[in-house]
Amino acid sequence: MRNNLTKISIFVLMITIILSIYIMYNGLGLIKGLDFGAGSYYYTDIPNWDKIFFGEKSINLGTNHPILFFSAFFLWGIICYRFLCWMEKN
């Protein structure tokens, strides 16, 4: 069984490497007209990146107060942590 899993893992790894090379060689997944070289994955290098990636149909929180959402996220984490600690004691 272990030998078969090793062979399957190597097969999946080889397929992944071949597909990765194919995708990189053919430039799949790139936005046409936006070639900024090696740093193109940094959105701040792209002029007007917010208009390109956050268009009219993108998700919008509808607020100008992101700190409120970060605070709610951390509060939710604290509540979940306290609940799990309580569950572990009981």
Side-chain angles (χ1 to χ4, degrees):
M1 176 79 173
R2 184 174 180 188
N3 195 15
N4 288 337
L5 287 177
T6 303
K7 289 179 184 179
I8 292 170
S9 298
I10 291 172
F11 177 73
V12 169
L13 177 66
M14 296 306 294
I15 293 296
T16 304
I17 290 172
I18 291 169
L19 286 175
S20 299
I21 292 171
Y22 175 79
I23 289 170
M24 289 186 292
Y25 180 76
N26 291 313
L28 302 177
L30 299 176
I31 299 173
K32 293 183 189 298
L34 291 179
D35 185 16
F36 293 95
S40 65
Y41 51 88
Y42 293 111
Y43 295 144
T44 55
D45 291 347
I46 302 172
N48 296 323
W49 67 271
D50 52 344
K51 291 180 179 65
I52 295 169
F53 294 100
F54 298 121
E56 295 176 3
K57 295 183 180 180
S58 65
I59 296 173
N60 187 0
L61 294 176
T63 182
N64 292 329
H65 307 287
I67 293 176
L68 174 68
F69 286 95
F70 288 119
S71 300
F73 173 75
F74 286 115
L75 180 64
W76 177 251
I78 291 170
I79 290 170
C80 289
Y81 174 75
R82 298 271 176 139
F83 177 74
L84 290 173
C85 288
W86 178 79
M87 288 290 289
E88 190 172 288
K89 287 180 183 177
N90 297 330

